[in-house]
Amino acid sequence: MSDKPSTMAAPAQALPDERGRYGGFGGRFVPETLMQALYDLEAEYLKIKGDPAFQAELEALNHDYAGRPTPLFRARRLEEALRTRAHVYLKREDLCHTGAHKINNTLGQGLLTKRLGKPRVIAETGAGQHGVATATVAALLGFECDVFMGVEDMRRQEPNVFRMRLLGTRVVPVESGSGTLKDATNEAMRDWMARVTDTHYIIGSVVGPHPFPMIVRDFQTVIGAETKRQVLEREGRLPDWLVACVGGGSNSIGLFHPFYADRQVKFVGVEAAGEGIASGKHAATISAREVGVFHGSRSYVLQTDDGQIKPAHSISAGLDYPGVGPQHSFYAATGRATYVSATDDEALEAVEQLCRAEGIIPALESAHALAHLKKLAPQLKDGDIVVVCLSGRGDKDVPTLRERLKID
Amino acid sequence: MNRIDSLFARKRAEGAKSLIIFLSAGYPDLPTSVELAAACAEAGADLIEFGVPFSDPIADGPTIQRSSAIALQRGVTLNKILAAVPEIRKRTAAPVILFGALNPFLHHGLEKVVREARAAGADGFIIPDLPPEESGEFESICRAEEMAMTHLLAPTSPPERRRLVAKRSMGFLYYMSVKGVTGARKDLPPDLADNLRQIRALTDKPLAVGFGISTPEHVRQGAAVADAVVVGSAAINLIGQYEGKPELLGKVRDYVASLAGALK
């Protein structure tokens, strides 16, 4: 059955090592209160990773509930619009249940929570997509669920706030700091410290202390594993380019990781340049190349001369984060992936272009990857194969798009 | 001998317990926080934890989050705090520990910050997000400079972690009385004394207890087993209440004296 999803097809690399390190990045930089919970989580995770019954349960949910495998769509009219003779494919994570790739991780961690025997889950959310995906799985599996969300994001993403509440989740407004994703993450970690014995923290990206970046990556590698099989079926060879947006970096790691050993496949991560890198109002963490410890791991981070975390800026709430997953920092430091950035305006243009060319409304996050594709097009050779991860759909962005695109 | 080791050696010889007060450096402003440190020491605090604010603290409750945020808004930096420590040192012989999240120290440079802190008259560090698994390099630097790197223990630390942390902690061992973040609480957990006794049995190192301690009665309960008791958020709340008022130092002095009195 060639179309059956394989959820855990990560190649056997020693990433991370036993200390949770990806080269010099990663680790477990958390208060002592959480240390044992991280070890317990890792032990339980390693058990289920090799447990065929667990994997079968997850595959069944991915297939019957989330709608996997997601299609790989050849975007021929977009190719024409970009005047390229390369083959451009979109990996349609936007067609997943709840509208983004986030469900891949929350289904996996939801089943893991069952194994841990904990009745309550918490999550942080920026755009609200991870919050909705967590609320969805909490409803499906019968957990009590609290989602922490910055007040600024609650304003920007009101429809998702309502969706979470509709699903029976309590949305906890976070007023501290800039009222965005980083502050919601702080508050989720604080809650976890107080209730670590009865609560699992379903972190939404490949960030945080070990083993979270590894667990989230593994559940997201379903994206890359399917892509690999689908491209091989269509083209009889591996792709030349993989392009995905990077906030914390879960859809991009999910796409890239299964191709790690295929050195001919070039990875391009696209960060949010906001109003432009020079303006200082951006979320291009890797482009800034400053190492720090933030939210439990050592990675690149946006920070001041005093080592304080700088608020990020992006039109896309899902990329509006001043940190990035340690595996991305490792890819950047070793040159395995290239990291570039796209501005708010470039992302908006890319939304409009994909809508008109293919009848697909992409999420603003994913539009950053599309914006880079436009810049990449002139370098592409005839017959090059490019896969862009369309990590989510743009329905949630309608209020922002209406305001900024002035189509009415 | 490091001032922290001398303090606990002396107290042990006297059969006495110690009071540790946490202050947010730069709250309500840097000169006042220096005055407050001196006032606390005069009123009976044996050791001062001088909190280095961080923009995104995960171990702090609302009180210290707020004091940190205000300190940062008012322009405090690690460099300015390091420059203020000698002012405290001029006024008191009490040990001073820099307490804060790793990133500002890391960004400053670990070796640099340890050397500068020592030169300024500080005696050690507590870095809640630097557990023993990650602290090897920092401990070596501290050891070379005769500075203490004190580790924390939590109610969620099982016996093998208690042993690991007890072995690695320098100066003393800091037990967090509750799961969760810093902050004054009405009651201490019922199993506190049991937990402290179990840890006491693992190590000869001085044992301090903190998190949630706010009243003289809490101080008495903690000191019944531990060698030292830490009060933080409750002092910060009081400072917040009298910020900008002439009676600030007097109120804090009286409060610290009442806590110190509970140790007699």
Side-chain angles (χ1 to χ4, degrees), chain A residues 21 28-29 31-33 36 39 182 186 190 193 197 290 292-293 303 305-309, chain B residues 53-58 60 65 78 103 107 128-129 131 133-134 152 156-158 161 179-180:
Chain A
R21 298 293 185 119
R28 299 180 193 91
F29 294 88
E32 173 63 23
T33 314
Q36 190 56 40
Y39 282 110
K182 80 177 175 75
N186 294 337
R190 290 178 196 128
M193 284 193 38
T197 40
E290 287 220 43
V293 166
Q303 57 188 320
D305 292 343
D306 189 41
Q308 307 294 335
I309 306 305
Chain B
F54 182 51
S55 52
D56 294 79
I58 56 174
D60 286 325
Q65 279 178 48
L78 178 55
N103 200 56
H107 194 69
D129 58 347
E133 279 83 344
E134 306 287 357
L152 297 117
T156 50
S157 312
R161 288 201 64 78
K179 286 183 300 208

mmCIF file of all heavy atoms in Angstrom, chain A residues 21 28-29 31-33 36 39 182 186 190 193 197 290 292-293 303 305-309, chain B residues 53-58 60 65 78 103 107 128-129 131 133-134 152 156-158 161 179-180:
data_model
loop_
_atom_site.group_PDB
_atom_site.id
_atom_site.type_symbol
_atom_site.label_atom_id
_atom_site.label_comp_id
_atom_site.label_asym_id
_atom_site.label_seq_id
_atom_site.Cartn_x
_atom_site.Cartn_y
_atom_site.Cartn_z
ATOM 1 N N ARG A 21 21.617 17.079 22.698
ATOM 2 C CA ARG A 21 22.361 18.103 21.955
ATOM 3 C C ARG A 21 22.379 17.812 20.464
ATOM 4 O O ARG A 21 22.545 16.661 20.056
ATOM 5 C CB ARG A 21 23.814 18.160 22.442
ATOM 6 C CG ARG A 21 23.984 18.547 23.895
ATOM 7 C CD ARG A 21 23.560 19.984 24.108
ATOM 8 N NE ARG A 21 23.834 20.374 25.483
ATOM 9 C CZ ARG A 21 24.670 21.361 25.821
ATOM 10 N NH1 ARG A 21 25.297 22.035 24.902
ATOM 11 N NH2 ARG A 21 24.849 21.657 27.086
ATOM 12 N N ARG A 28 19.050 20.785 28.146
ATOM 13 C CA ARG A 28 17.903 20.874 29.069
ATOM 14 C C ARG A 28 18.160 21.980 30.066
ATOM 15 O O ARG A 28 18.680 21.733 31.151
ATOM 16 C CB ARG A 28 17.751 19.581 29.880
ATOM 17 C CG ARG A 28 17.496 18.303 29.120
ATOM 18 C CD ARG A 28 17.379 17.183 30.152
ATOM 19 N NE ARG A 28 17.423 15.872 29.554
ATOM 20 C CZ ARG A 28 18.547 15.174 29.379
ATOM 21 N NH1 ARG A 28 19.707 15.653 29.779
ATOM 22 N NH2 ARG A 28 18.492 13.981 28.829
ATOM 23 N N PHE A 29 17.825 23.208 29.704
ATOM 24 C CA PHE A 29 18.073 24.352 30.578
ATOM 25 C C PHE A 29 16.777 24.765 31.265
ATOM 26 O O PHE A 29 16.137 25.734 30.862
ATOM 27 C CB PHE A 29 18.676 25.500 29.775
ATOM 28 C CG PHE A 29 20.051 25.192 29.235
ATOM 29 C CD1 PHE A 29 20.218 24.576 27.998
ATOM 30 C CD2 PHE A 29 21.186 25.508 29.980
ATOM 31 C CE1 PHE A 29 21.478 24.278 27.507
ATOM 32 C CE2 PHE A 29 22.460 25.214 29.495
ATOM 33 C CZ PHE A 29 22.606 24.598 28.253
ATOM 34 N N PRO A 31 14.462 24.734 35.246
ATOM 35 C CA PRO A 31 14.563 24.574 36.695
ATOM 36 C C PRO A 31 14.455 23.103 37.110
ATOM 37 O O PRO A 31 13.799 22.294 36.441
ATOM 38 C CB PRO A 31 13.370 25.379 37.222
ATOM 39 C CG PRO A 31 13.091 26.384 36.150
ATOM 40 C CD PRO A 31 13.412 25.682 34.857
ATOM 41 N N GLU A 32 15.084 22.821 38.215
ATOM 42 C CA GLU A 32 15.114 21.459 38.760
ATOM 43 C C GLU A 32 13.719 20.821 38.851
ATOM 44 O O GLU A 32 13.559 19.626 38.605
ATOM 45 C CB GLU A 32 15.779 21.502 40.145
ATOM 46 C CG GLU A 32 15.750 20.208 40.936
ATOM 47 C CD GLU A 32 16.504 19.063 40.276
ATOM 48 O OE1 GLU A 32 17.403 19.312 39.450
ATOM 49 O OE2 GLU A 32 16.164 17.900 40.593
ATOM 50 N N THR A 33 12.719 21.634 39.143
ATOM 51 C CA THR A 33 11.347 21.123 39.276
ATOM 52 C C THR A 33 10.921 20.297 38.066
ATOM 53 O O THR A 33 10.151 19.353 38.195
ATOM 54 C CB THR A 33 10.377 22.312 39.447
ATOM 55 O OG1 THR A 33 10.934 23.212 40.405
ATOM 56 C CG2 THR A 33 9.008 21.857 39.900
ATOM 57 N N GLN A 36 13.037 15.941 36.372
ATOM 58 C CA GLN A 36 12.621 14.546 36.400
ATOM 59 C C GLN A 36 11.505 14.288 35.388
ATOM 60 O O GLN A 36 11.466 13.244 34.741
ATOM 61 C CB GLN A 36 12.187 14.124 37.810
ATOM 62 C CG GLN A 36 11.973 12.625 37.962
ATOM 63 C CD GLN A 36 13.209 11.806 37.559
ATOM 64 O OE1 GLN A 36 14.342 12.199 37.857
ATOM 65 N NE2 GLN A 36 12.997 10.691 36.877
ATOM 66 N N TYR A 39 13.010 13.633 32.074
ATOM 67 C CA TYR A 39 13.551 12.270 31.967
ATOM 68 C C TYR A 39 12.426 11.242 31.815
ATOM 69 O O TYR A 39 12.525 10.311 31.018
ATOM 70 C CB TYR A 39 14.402 11.925 33.193
ATOM 71 C CG TYR A 39 15.786 12.541 33.151
ATOM 72 C CD1 TYR A 39 16.129 13.574 34.014
ATOM 73 C CD2 TYR A 39 16.748 12.101 32.242
ATOM 74 C CE1 TYR A 39 17.390 14.151 33.979
ATOM 75 C CE2 TYR A 39 18.000 12.675 32.193
ATOM 76 C CZ TYR A 39 18.333 13.697 33.066
ATOM 77 O OH TYR A 39 19.570 14.258 33.008
ATOM 78 N N LYS A 182 6.060 34.173 22.813
ATOM 79 C CA LYS A 182 7.102 33.893 23.794
ATOM 80 C C LYS A 182 6.545 33.995 25.208
ATOM 81 O O LYS A 182 6.898 33.202 26.083
ATOM 82 C CB LYS A 182 8.310 34.811 23.600
ATOM 83 C CG LYS A 182 8.175 36.212 24.161
ATOM 84 C CD LYS A 182 9.473 37.009 23.960
ATOM 85 C CE LYS A 182 9.331 38.460 24.404
ATOM 86 N NZ LYS A 182 9.338 38.647 25.844
ATOM 87 N N ASN A 186 6.292 31.201 28.188
ATOM 88 C CA ASN A 186 6.723 31.385 29.582
ATOM 89 C C ASN A 186 5.632 30.927 30.542
ATOM 90 O O ASN A 186 5.892 30.219 31.523
ATOM 91 C CB ASN A 186 6.993 32.867 29.890
ATOM 92 C CG ASN A 186 8.172 33.427 29.115
ATOM 93 O OD1 ASN A 186 9.040 32.690 28.680
ATOM 94 N ND2 ASN A 186 8.187 34.741 28.941
ATOM 95 N N ARG A 190 5.518 27.919 33.348
ATOM 96 C CA ARG A 190 5.251 28.173 34.768
ATOM 97 C C ARG A 190 4.123 27.282 35.263
ATOM 98 O O ARG A 190 4.182 26.721 36.361
ATOM 99 C CB ARG A 190 4.885 29.639 34.989
ATOM 100 C CG ARG A 190 6.046 30.576 34.786
ATOM 101 C CD ARG A 190 5.617 32.036 34.969
ATOM 102 N NE ARG A 190 6.628 32.912 34.408
ATOM 103 C CZ ARG A 190 6.402 33.880 33.534
ATOM 104 N NH1 ARG A 190 5.165 34.136 33.119
ATOM 105 N NH2 ARG A 190 7.391 34.596 33.072
ATOM 106 N N MET A 193 5.398 23.836 35.737
ATOM 107 C CA MET A 193 6.186 23.678 36.963
ATOM 108 C C MET A 193 5.304 23.400 38.163
ATOM 109 O O MET A 193 5.645 22.619 39.036
ATOM 110 C CB MET A 193 7.021 24.941 37.234
ATOM 111 C CG MET A 193 8.210 24.994 36.311
ATOM 112 S SD MET A 193 9.465 26.190 36.721
ATOM 113 C CE MET A 193 9.583 26.214 38.459
ATOM 114 N N THR A 197 2.982 17.021 37.899
ATOM 115 C CA THR A 197 2.624 15.623 38.197
ATOM 116 C C THR A 197 1.338 15.189 37.497
ATOM 117 O O THR A 197 1.176 14.006 37.199
ATOM 118 C CB THR A 197 2.521 15.374 39.718
ATOM 119 O OG1 THR A 197 1.895 16.512 40.314
ATOM 120 C CG2 THR A 197 3.896 15.196 40.333
ATOM 121 N N GLU A 290 22.924 34.923 16.821
ATOM 122 C CA GLU A 290 23.404 35.091 18.196
ATOM 123 C C GLU A 290 22.931 33.924 19.025
ATOM 124 O O GLU A 290 21.742 33.631 19.088
ATOM 125 C CB GLU A 290 22.826 36.375 18.787
ATOM 126 C CG GLU A 290 23.467 37.599 18.200
ATOM 127 C CD GLU A 290 23.708 38.643 19.280
ATOM 128 O OE1 GLU A 290 24.163 38.262 20.381
ATOM 129 O OE2 GLU A 290 23.414 39.805 19.011
ATOM 130 N N GLY A 292 22.074 31.854 22.380
ATOM 131 C CA GLY A 292 21.618 32.125 23.744
ATOM 132 C C GLY A 292 20.875 30.923 24.296
ATOM 133 O O GLY A 292 20.739 29.898 23.612
ATOM 134 N N VAL A 293 20.410 31.057 25.527
ATOM 135 C CA VAL A 293 19.568 30.014 26.118
ATOM 136 C C VAL A 293 18.207 30.625 26.380
ATOM 137 O O VAL A 293 18.088 31.615 27.100
ATOM 138 C CB VAL A 293 20.186 29.457 27.415
ATOM 139 C CG1 VAL A 293 19.152 28.648 28.194
ATOM 140 C CG2 VAL A 293 21.387 28.574 27.083
ATOM 141 N N GLN A 303 18.329 38.760 20.841
ATOM 142 C CA GLN A 303 18.583 39.303 22.175
ATOM 143 C C GLN A 303 19.284 40.658 22.103
ATOM 144 O O GLN A 303 19.862 41.024 21.089
ATOM 145 C CB GLN A 303 19.423 38.320 23.003
ATOM 146 C CG GLN A 303 20.752 37.955 22.357
ATOM 147 C CD GLN A 303 21.465 36.839 23.111
ATOM 148 O OE1 GLN A 303 21.458 36.807 24.328
ATOM 149 N NE2 GLN A 303 22.077 35.924 22.386
ATOM 150 N N ASP A 305 22.071 43.584 23.807
ATOM 151 C CA ASP A 305 23.464 43.531 24.263
ATOM 152 C C ASP A 305 23.559 43.048 25.700
ATOM 153 O O ASP A 305 24.606 42.617 26.157
ATOM 154 C CB ASP A 305 24.096 44.932 24.198
ATOM 155 C CG ASP A 305 24.270 45.396 22.758
ATOM 156 O OD1 ASP A 305 24.210 44.527 21.859
ATOM 157 O OD2 ASP A 305 24.434 46.610 22.543
ATOM 158 N N ASP A 306 22.462 43.150 26.444
ATOM 159 C CA ASP A 306 22.438 42.751 27.846
ATOM 160 C C ASP A 306 21.942 41.309 28.016
ATOM 161 O O ASP A 306 21.747 40.835 29.139
ATOM 162 C CB ASP A 306 21.529 43.726 28.616
ATOM 163 C CG ASP A 306 21.602 43.523 30.116
ATOM 164 O OD1 ASP A 306 22.713 43.298 30.634
ATOM 165 O OD2 ASP A 306 20.547 43.553 30.778
ATOM 166 N N GLY A 307 21.711 40.609 26.913
ATOM 167 C CA GLY A 307 21.244 39.223 27.025
ATOM 168 C C GLY A 307 19.766 39.097 27.362
ATOM 169 O O GLY A 307 19.306 38.056 27.805
ATOM 170 N N GLN A 308 19.012 40.182 27.163
ATOM 171 C CA GLN A 308 17.556 40.105 27.329
ATOM 172 C C GLN A 308 16.946 39.718 25.980
ATOM 173 O O GLN A 308 17.479 40.091 24.932
ATOM 174 C CB GLN A 308 16.972 41.453 27.782
ATOM 175 C CG GLN A 308 17.647 42.039 29.022
ATOM 176 C CD GLN A 308 17.435 41.208 30.279
ATOM 177 O OE1 GLN A 308 16.455 40.467 30.396
ATOM 178 N NE2 GLN A 308 18.361 41.319 31.218
ATOM 179 N N ILE A 309 15.827 38.981 26.029
ATOM 180 C CA ILE A 309 15.211 38.530 24.784
ATOM 181 C C ILE A 309 14.483 39.709 24.138
ATOM 182 O O ILE A 309 13.751 40.439 24.801
ATOM 183 C CB ILE A 309 14.222 37.371 25.055
ATOM 184 C CG1 ILE A 309 14.916 36.238 25.828
ATOM 185 C CG2 ILE A 309 13.602 36.874 23.754
ATOM 186 C CD1 ILE A 309 16.176 35.682 25.201
ATOM 187 N N PRO B 53 17.570 40.713 36.766
ATOM 188 C CA PRO B 53 16.321 40.530 36.026
ATOM 189 C C PRO B 53 16.522 39.961 34.628
ATOM 190 O O PRO B 53 17.547 40.206 33.991
ATOM 191 C CB PRO B 53 15.729 41.944 35.938
ATOM 192 C CG PRO B 53 16.684 42.867 36.564
ATOM 193 C CD PRO B 53 17.888 42.128 36.999
ATOM 194 N N PHE B 54 15.531 39.206 34.202
ATOM 195 C CA PHE B 54 15.529 38.638 32.850
ATOM 196 C C PHE B 54 14.161 38.908 32.230
ATOM 197 O O PHE B 54 13.148 38.857 32.915
ATOM 198 C CB PHE B 54 15.817 37.134 32.921
ATOM 199 C CG PHE B 54 15.894 36.457 31.573
ATOM 200 C CD1 PHE B 54 16.705 36.962 30.565
ATOM 201 C CD2 PHE B 54 15.147 35.311 31.312
ATOM 202 C CE1 PHE B 54 16.777 36.344 29.316
ATOM 203 C CE2 PHE B 54 15.217 34.680 30.071
ATOM 204 C CZ PHE B 54 16.037 35.203 29.071
ATOM 205 N N SER B 55 14.179 39.168 30.929
ATOM 206 C CA SER B 55 12.943 39.514 30.231
ATOM 207 C C SER B 55 11.918 38.384 30.235
ATOM 208 O O SER B 55 10.725 38.641 30.187
ATOM 209 C CB SER B 55 13.274 39.866 28.772
ATOM 210 O OG SER B 55 14.039 38.820 28.186
ATOM 211 N N ASP B 56 12.377 37.155 30.275
ATOM 212 C CA ASP B 56 11.476 36.009 30.111
ATOM 213 C C ASP B 56 11.700 34.931 31.168
ATOM 214 O O ASP B 56 12.039 33.791 30.836
ATOM 215 C CB ASP B 56 11.634 35.417 28.705
ATOM 216 C CG ASP B 56 11.160 36.387 27.638
ATOM 217 O OD1 ASP B 56 11.917 37.322 27.306
ATOM 218 O OD2 ASP B 56 10.022 36.218 27.168
ATOM 219 N N PRO B 57 11.486 35.302 32.434
ATOM 220 C CA PRO B 57 11.782 34.344 33.504
ATOM 221 C C PRO B 57 10.724 33.249 33.559
ATOM 222 O O PRO B 57 9.540 33.545 33.520
ATOM 223 C CB PRO B 57 11.722 35.209 34.767
ATOM 224 C CG PRO B 57 10.763 36.309 34.424
ATOM 225 C CD PRO B 57 10.881 36.533 32.939
ATOM 226 N N ILE B 58 11.149 31.988 33.618
ATOM 227 C CA ILE B 58 10.131 30.934 33.709
ATOM 228 C C ILE B 58 9.951 30.408 35.122
ATOM 229 O O ILE B 58 8.972 29.744 35.405
ATOM 230 C CB ILE B 58 10.359 29.775 32.705
ATOM 231 C CG1 ILE B 58 11.730 29.161 32.875
ATOM 232 C CG2 ILE B 58 10.139 30.240 31.289
ATOM 233 C CD1 ILE B 58 11.917 27.931 31.999
ATOM 234 N N ASP B 60 9.810 32.394 37.840
ATOM 235 C CA ASP B 60 9.300 33.427 38.729
ATOM 236 C C ASP B 60 7.797 33.587 38.668
ATOM 237 O O ASP B 60 7.200 33.538 37.600
ATOM 238 C CB ASP B 60 9.950 34.774 38.402
ATOM 239 C CG ASP B 60 11.385 34.837 38.887
ATOM 240 O OD1 ASP B 60 11.666 34.245 39.948
ATOM 241 O OD2 ASP B 60 12.212 35.460 38.205
ATOM 242 N N GLN B 65 8.282 38.589 38.624
ATOM 243 C CA GLN B 65 8.162 38.974 37.205
ATOM 244 C C GLN B 65 7.980 40.480 37.089
ATOM 245 O O GLN B 65 8.601 41.139 36.262
ATOM 246 C CB GLN B 65 6.923 38.332 36.572
ATOM 247 C CG GLN B 65 7.073 36.901 36.146
ATOM 248 C CD GLN B 65 5.740 36.401 35.596
ATOM 249 O OE1 GLN B 65 5.116 37.049 34.788
ATOM 250 N NE2 GLN B 65 5.302 35.244 36.068
ATOM 251 N N LEU B 78 23.044 43.972 33.443
ATOM 252 C CA LEU B 78 23.996 43.181 34.234
ATOM 253 C C LEU B 78 25.241 44.021 34.536
ATOM 254 O O LEU B 78 25.764 43.987 35.664
ATOM 255 C CB LEU B 78 24.356 41.900 33.477
ATOM 256 C CG LEU B 78 25.370 40.982 34.148
ATOM 257 C CD1 LEU B 78 24.952 40.589 35.569
ATOM 258 C CD2 LEU B 78 25.581 39.711 33.304
ATOM 259 N N ASN B 103 20.692 33.304 30.602
ATOM 260 C CA ASN B 103 21.069 33.990 29.365
ATOM 261 C C ASN B 103 21.860 35.293 29.533
ATOM 262 O O ASN B 103 22.849 35.475 28.828
ATOM 263 C CB ASN B 103 19.867 34.198 28.440
ATOM 264 C CG ASN B 103 20.323 34.450 27.025
ATOM 265 O OD1 ASN B 103 21.059 33.635 26.449
ATOM 266 N ND2 ASN B 103 19.967 35.594 26.475
ATOM 267 N N HIS B 107 25.478 35.566 27.899
ATOM 268 C CA HIS B 107 25.739 36.575 26.878
ATOM 269 C C HIS B 107 26.909 37.469 27.283
ATOM 270 O O HIS B 107 27.697 37.908 26.437
ATOM 271 C CB HIS B 107 24.481 37.406 26.646
ATOM 272 C CG HIS B 107 24.541 38.237 25.400
ATOM 273 N ND1 HIS B 107 24.519 37.677 24.150
ATOM 274 C CD2 HIS B 107 24.673 39.569 25.211
ATOM 275 C CE1 HIS B 107 24.612 38.639 23.244
ATOM 276 N NE2 HIS B 107 24.715 39.793 23.868
ATOM 277 N N PRO B 128 18.664 29.303 38.213
ATOM 278 C CA PRO B 128 17.663 28.234 38.258
ATOM 279 C C PRO B 128 17.578 27.395 36.988
ATOM 280 O O PRO B 128 17.252 26.213 37.067
ATOM 281 C CB PRO B 128 16.343 28.978 38.494
ATOM 282 C CG PRO B 128 16.736 30.280 39.086
ATOM 283 C CD PRO B 128 18.085 30.616 38.517
ATOM 284 N N ASP B 129 17.869 27.983 35.827
ATOM 285 C CA ASP B 129 17.755 27.175 34.605
ATOM 286 C C ASP B 129 19.089 26.559 34.182
ATOM 287 O O ASP B 129 19.256 26.206 33.011
ATOM 288 C CB ASP B 129 17.116 27.976 33.458
ATOM 289 C CG ASP B 129 17.864 29.253 33.102
ATOM 290 O OD1 ASP B 129 18.747 29.666 33.885
ATOM 291 O OD2 ASP B 129 17.570 29.850 32.044
ATOM 292 N N PRO B 131 20.721 23.418 35.476
ATOM 293 C CA PRO B 131 20.776 22.235 36.336
ATOM 294 C C PRO B 131 22.145 21.557 36.211
ATOM 295 O O PRO B 131 22.910 21.892 35.302
ATOM 296 C CB PRO B 131 19.663 21.342 35.768
ATOM 297 C CG PRO B 131 19.581 21.714 34.334
ATOM 298 C CD PRO B 131 19.902 23.193 34.273
ATOM 299 N N GLU B 133 23.200 18.926 35.001
ATOM 300 C CA GLU B 133 23.485 18.332 33.697
ATOM 301 C C GLU B 133 24.166 19.321 32.757
ATOM 302 O O GLU B 133 24.851 18.927 31.827
ATOM 303 C CB GLU B 133 22.184 17.865 33.027
ATOM 304 C CG GLU B 133 21.659 16.524 33.500
ATOM 305 C CD GLU B 133 20.849 16.615 34.774
ATOM 306 O OE1 GLU B 133 20.917 17.645 35.477
ATOM 307 O OE2 GLU B 133 20.155 15.630 35.090
ATOM 308 N N GLU B 134 23.908 20.617 32.965
ATOM 309 C CA GLU B 134 24.393 21.627 32.026
ATOM 310 C C GLU B 134 25.431 22.569 32.648
ATOM 311 O O GLU B 134 25.897 23.487 31.984
ATOM 312 C CB GLU B 134 23.219 22.483 31.509
ATOM 313 C CG GLU B 134 22.057 21.698 30.899
ATOM 314 C CD GLU B 134 22.379 21.101 29.532
ATOM 315 O OE1 GLU B 134 23.493 21.339 29.009
ATOM 316 O OE2 GLU B 134 21.516 20.382 28.992
ATOM 317 N N LEU B 152 19.618 24.065 43.014
ATOM 318 C CA LEU B 152 18.309 23.966 43.656
ATOM 319 C C LEU B 152 17.796 22.535 43.628
ATOM 320 O O LEU B 152 18.103 21.770 42.709
ATOM 321 C CB LEU B 152 17.313 24.862 42.923
ATOM 322 C CG LEU B 152 17.657 26.351 42.979
ATOM 323 C CD1 LEU B 152 17.921 26.888 41.598
ATOM 324 C CD2 LEU B 152 16.563 27.144 43.655
ATOM 325 N N THR B 156 9.858 17.659 43.412
ATOM 326 C CA THR B 156 9.753 16.624 42.378
ATOM 327 C C THR B 156 11.081 15.917 42.117
ATOM 328 O O THR B 156 11.138 15.051 41.249
ATOM 329 C CB THR B 156 9.297 17.258 41.049
ATOM 330 O OG1 THR B 156 10.140 18.388 40.780
ATOM 331 C CG2 THR B 156 7.857 17.717 41.110
ATOM 332 N N SER B 157 12.141 16.278 42.859
ATOM 333 C CA SER B 157 13.426 15.599 42.643
ATOM 334 C C SER B 157 13.415 14.258 43.371
ATOM 335 O O SER B 157 13.289 14.227 44.583
ATOM 336 C CB SER B 157 14.581 16.437 43.209
ATOM 337 O OG SER B 157 14.488 17.781 42.806
ATOM 338 N N PRO B 158 13.548 13.163 42.627
ATOM 339 C CA PRO B 158 13.592 11.849 43.286
ATOM 340 C C PRO B 158 14.953 11.658 43.981
ATOM 341 O O PRO B 158 15.866 12.470 43.781
ATOM 342 C CB PRO B 158 13.422 10.873 42.121
ATOM 343 C CG PRO B 158 13.898 11.599 40.926
ATOM 344 C CD PRO B 158 13.656 13.064 41.178
ATOM 345 N N ARG B 161 18.267 12.201 42.113
ATOM 346 C CA ARG B 161 18.559 13.595 41.768
ATOM 347 C C ARG B 161 18.950 14.391 43.006
ATOM 348 O O ARG B 161 19.787 15.276 42.946
ATOM 349 C CB ARG B 161 17.356 14.267 41.085
ATOM 350 C CG ARG B 161 17.107 13.789 39.676
ATOM 351 C CD ARG B 161 16.292 14.785 38.884
ATOM 352 N NE ARG B 161 16.999 16.043 38.711
ATOM 353 C CZ ARG B 161 17.975 16.241 37.819
ATOM 354 N NH1 ARG B 161 18.335 15.266 37.015
ATOM 355 N NH2 ARG B 161 18.579 17.406 37.737
ATOM 356 N N LYS B 179 6.259 22.938 44.410
ATOM 357 C CA LYS B 179 6.317 22.879 42.955
ATOM 358 C C LYS B 179 5.844 24.233 42.462
ATOM 359 O O LYS B 179 5.004 24.862 43.089
ATOM 360 C CB LYS B 179 5.340 21.813 42.418
ATOM 361 C CG LYS B 179 5.806 20.393 42.644
ATOM 362 C CD LYS B 179 4.828 19.416 42.028
ATOM 363 C CE LYS B 179 3.465 19.549 42.633
ATOM 364 N NZ LYS B 179 2.614 18.400 42.660
ATOM 365 N N GLY B 180 6.334 24.660 41.340
ATOM 366 C CA GLY B 180 5.826 25.908 40.781
ATOM 367 C C GLY B 180 6.791 27.045 40.949
ATOM 368 O O GLY B 180 7.957 26.851 41.272
#
